[in-house]
Amino acid sequence: MLDPKSQFKLAYSIPEAAAAVSIGRSKVYALIAEGRLETRKIGKRTVIPAASLVKLLDA
């Protein structure tokens, strides 16, 4: 069970993802277009699962 007080995020917005991996927003969009980052839509919001960022960094 996930602890709601945990600092670990399950998903990041585009600007948060860019900051988390120290790249620009344009590069995040490029990685999404290349299929190297996964996204999910939640309502109107686009988020990147944390697992996708980890996978990108492990590649």
Side-chain angles (χ1 to χ4, degrees):
M1 180 103 182
L2 293 173
D3 178 8
K5 295 179 184 175
S6 172
Q7 296 297 316
F8 180 72
K9 294 181 75 153
L10 295 176
Y12 294 83
S13 67
I14 301 293
E16 289 172 335
V21 294
S22 300
I23 59 176
R25 285 185 323 132
S26 297
K27 183 62 176 178
V28 172
Y29 285 112
L31 291 168
I32 291 168
E34 294 170 12
R36 294 180 59 198
L37 274 179
E38 298 174 27
T39 61
R40 301 286 188 274
K41 289 292 276 186
I42 302 174
K44 294 180 179 181
R45 188 168 180 190
T46 301
V47 296
I48 299 171
S52 185
L53 288 172
V54 170
K55 184 178 172 182
L56 174 72
L57 295 175
D58 286 342

